[in-house]
Amino acid sequence: MTVIGTDSPASGRPAIETFGLTRRFGALAAVDGASLSVRSAEIFGLIGPNGAGKSTLIKMLTTMLPPSAGRAIIAGFDLRTQAGQVRRHIGYVPQLLSADGELTGYENLLLSARLYLVPRTAREGRIRAALALMGLTEVRDRLVRQYSGGMIRRLEIAQSTLHAPSVIFLDEPTEGLDPVGRHAVWRHIRDLRERLGAAVVVTTHYMDEADALCDRIALIDRGRILVTDTPAALKGQIGDHATLDDVFAQMTGHAAEGGSYRDVRRTRRAAREHA
Amino acid sequence: MGGYLTQLLAVADAELRKLRHDPWELASRAIQPVLWLLLFGNVMARVRGLAPQAIPYLDFLAPGILAQSALFVAIFYGISAIWERDLGVLHRYLVSPAPRSALVSGKALSSGARALSQAVIVYFCAAAMGVRLSLRPADVAAAILLITLGSALFSTFSLIIACMVRTRERFMGIGQVLTMPIFFASNAIYPVALMPGWLQILALLNPLTYEVDGLRAVMLARGSSVFGLTRDFTVLAVAGLAMIAVATRMYPRMTE
């Protein structure tokens, strides 16, 4: 048994450590022996084509999906035996839009504040601050189904961080957003790291985004982590003007964008059949 | 414990706020019980021997229709759970530190509160049709409790079904199939004593029977319970807790 944290991860210890984390759906290993370590106040990218296993890995790390094998320590707590504590210390913005369209922005935040047991006296202040920070004060009493995609993402980031988590997961946070919306989300992700000192784990299949945003990235393909390093170091291995796309193509023998449909279908079908 | 209650009520409160944003949903759901009382009730009132001697058939029917209308709403609750899963809203609940039982109980409670709005309409409608209601505070309080328990029970049952079938299409089919036997194999529109033996056994295993039986005692000025209120409440509470216990185990797996 490793050391178990008390309230927050001891400084210097990784925010996330995984050891051979694996999830199988029948014969398919959607995530196959993932071992990685993420530091506090680090933006860490899980990069790979659709169907590579990024979402499955995130689902395991957020306690949504039990691993088939391996273990993980998140914010100092064991994923298997202390799922409740893990949940208390993480924030999660799922790939799907998780804000409730039938509620207003304010009501969504109120629900989150209560679920995370933000003290009653601090609730209104924190919600007000979060709305202001995300530029949603004026639409706070509008139903979320009338929000734009970018506004919903910002609201979800606010919802996921009201309890000041030490690890934040964002699954494809810029998917479906226009360039303005994407850049706004990037800005907020950087801000989370500064403000909360939180470790931020982002999945994306946009290589340019990973390059611009992440301190370190892990390249994933077909359920396996191929390499973990800074974008600059990875590109440096290939050549002067290399992009992450080049890195990925070199390491896998295929392009990040191409050949993905089959992988997506393969993973999703397996997940469905063995659900 | 205080935290648990905060989380449970947060879930229930969110559901009720949605209702407040869309009151038409409630209004549309009030039509069906009114039609049952008005059409079915007035015709069947002419049949002799359907209700116990002491009370007119419409009086006998009103608590049955109230329980039925709450059942019909509750039994389709699972659809919205699947919908929430498809949208991603469910993830937000499940990734929170709220105990799973608090989430399930909160949803169940909101379903009970939702049914109370229907109860108000059925009370008004029944009174307008000459049903003699009991408005003693203790009776009204007991009716509120019975309706809440019944709706919580059936909505959680629905949630369990949703966890098993996992898609809206399959659920729609099953929901239709479930409402019929639960409704007709109960004492909602005729007494258990009138049923053939095999159906009596089913009716006595059916929690709806105890909800209706209790409601007859507390809703009507001259009503009485066949099984006794203690038994009615006990059956509903135990069945409800059992449902919540099962759903608490199954609900978190919906996102897998």
Side-chain angles (χ1 to χ4, degrees):
Chain A
M1 211 56 209
T2 37
V3 188
I4 298 307
T6 49
D7 207 27
S8 61
S11 55
R13 295 199 45 214
I16 302 174
E17 262 185 302
T18 74
F19 310 94
L21 211 55
T22 299
R23 174 66 201 206
R24 279 184 286 271
F25 295 109
L28 173 81
V31 173
D32 192 0
S35 296
L36 49 83
S37 169
V38 180
R39 294 186 274 267
S40 293
E42 176 175 50
I43 300 179
F44 189 91
L46 292 173
I47 315 302
N50 289 323
K54 306 185 298 288
S55 289
T56 305
L57 180 53
I58 291 257
K59 273 184 166 182
M60 284 195 281
L61 296 177
T62 54
T63 77
M64 295 289 95
L65 187 68
S68 311
R71 49 193 295 267
I73 305 291
I74 293 159
F77 298 99
D78 189 288
L79 184 65
R80 276 180 193 270
T81 58
Q82 298 172 296
Q85 288 285 9
V86 169
R87 289 186 200 117
R88 204 159 298 171
H89 292 89
I90 63 172
Y92 173 44
V93 179
Q95 190 171 359
L96 297 162
L97 294 180
S98 66
D100 198 321
E102 309 292 311
L103 295 173
T104 67
Y106 168 80
E107 287 169 339
N108 267 290
L109 286 164
L110 181 63
L111 172 63
S112 288
R114 287 171 169 169
L115 287 178
Y116 283 91
L117 299 177
V118 172
R120 183 189 288 266
T121 46
R123 253 183 235 156
E124 290 299 323
R126 278 207 218 171
I127 291 174
R128 212 175 307 125
L131 285 166
L133 192 68
M134 295 295 163
L136 297 171
T137 304
E138 275 166 29
V139 293
R140 53 169 272 161
D141 293 323
R142 222 190 271 170
L143 290 183
V144 168
R145 64 163 176 254
Q146 298 164 355
Y147 282 24
S148 70
M151 286 156 81
I152 294 178
R153 269 295 178 239
R154 269 152 37 217
L155 175 66
E156 290 174 325
I157 293 174
Q159 276 185 275
S160 315
T161 51
L162 274 179
H163 58 296
S166 47
V167 184
I168 300 160
F169 297 93
L170 301 102
D171 198 359
E172 303 276 359
T174 57
E175 184 68 31
L177 298 186
D178 59 23
V180 179
R182 284 176 68 181
H183 282 98
V185 168
W186 292 11
R187 187 158 46 76
H188 287 297
I189 289 174
R190 289 199 186 94
D191 176 65
L192 287 177
R193 184 236 323 247
E194 320 277 280
R195 205 156 38 85
L196 300 173
V200 183
V201 177
V202 189
T203 72
T204 181
H205 58 270
Y206 299 118
M207 295 293 172
D208 56 334
E209 179 168 302
D211 199 353
L213 188 63
C214 299
D215 301 318
R216 285 194 309 143
I217 58 176
L219 288 181
I220 304 184
D221 188 45
R222 302 199 172 146
R224 292 182 159 277
I225 293 180
L226 305 174
V227 65
T228 305
D229 213 330
T230 63
L234 288 173
K235 289 183 293 185
Q237 292 170 7
I238 309 279
D240 280 348
H241 300 288
T243 64
L244 282 182
D245 277 307
D246 300 333
V247 175
F248 191 85
Q250 170 116 353
M251 301 210 66
T252 61
H254 63 86
E257 305 285 344
S260 63
Y261 177 72
R262 214 179 47 226
D263 290 338
V264 174
R265 209 176 48 179
R266 188 180 64 119
T267 310
R268 297 215 174 133
R269 184 186 292 155
R272 216 174 28 239
E273 282 168 2
H274 298 279
Chain B
M1 192 61 207
Y4 188 91
L5 205 60
T6 300
Q7 289 161 327
L8 189 158
L9 293 177
V11 176
D13 178 58
E15 293 297 317
L16 295 181
R17 281 170 186 266
K18 287 186 215 174
L19 218 54
R20 225 180 301 152
H21 292 310
D22 188 12
W24 279 109
E25 191 202 323
L26 280 185
S28 65
R29 284 189 167 150
I31 296 170
Q32 202 181 342
V34 169
L35 287 179
W36 269 89
L37 281 177
L38 206 63
L39 303 180
F40 183 85
N42 277 310
V43 175
M44 298 308 273
R46 293 163 171 265
V47 179
R48 288 176 189 283
L50 214 46
Q53 296 288 313
I55 53 171
Y57 182 69
L58 264 182
D59 290 38
F60 176 83
L61 182 67
I65 295 306
L66 172 50
Q68 176 228 40
S69 66
L71 165 73
F72 281 11
V73 173
I75 208 74
F76 284 99
Y77 168 74
I79 290 268
S80 70
I82 296 174
W83 183 239
E84 280 190 355
R85 193 268 322 269
D86 291 347
L87 284 175
V89 175
L90 177 62
H91 293 72
R92 175 151 306 287
Y93 283 108
L94 290 181
V95 81
S96 86
R100 278 52 198 134
S101 62
L103 299 176
V104 171
S105 308
K107 295 275 188 190
L109 183 64
S110 74
S111 172
R114 191 179 276 244
L116 291 179
S117 59
Q118 291 191 304
V120 173
I121 290 158
V122 172
Y123 262 74
F124 270 110
C125 180
M129 290 168 69
V131 173
R132 291 181 54 192
L133 300 168
S134 165
L135 296 176
R136 283 175 45 217
D139 282 348
V140 173
I144 289 174
L145 196 57
L146 282 166
I147 295 162
T148 308
L149 278 174
S151 292
L153 187 166
F154 287 114
S155 67
T156 311
F157 176 61
S158 175
L159 181 61
I160 293 171
I161 302 289
C163 292
M164 293 196 288
V165 302
R166 301 178 79 92
T167 71
R168 270 171 278 162
E169 293 76 10
R170 280 184 246 161
F171 189 97
M172 280 309 282
I174 292 197
Q176 308 278 12
V177 171
L178 286 176
T179 40
M180 290 277 282
I182 295 176
F183 176 49
F184 286 108
S186 83
N187 56 352
I189 52 176
Y190 31 66
V192 174
L194 220 59
M195 299 175 181
W198 63 270
L199 194 54
Q200 288 196 6
I201 295 171
L202 283 184
L204 291 176
L205 292 172
N206 182 353
L208 188 70
T209 297
Y210 299 91
E211 183 183 352
V212 173
D213 186 64
L215 282 174
R216 288 216 168 97
V218 299
M219 187 177 166
L220 303 175
R222 289 179 298 167
S224 59
S225 159
V226 175
F227 307 115
L229 279 176
T230 311
R231 182 151 156 212
D232 293 335
F233 274 108
T234 309
V235 169
L236 291 174
V238 170
L241 286 175
M243 291 293 169
I244 286 175
V246 174
T248 296
R249 293 188 71 85
M250 297 182 72
Y251 190 49
R253 301 204 57 202
M254 263 183 107
T255 51
E256 295 178 10

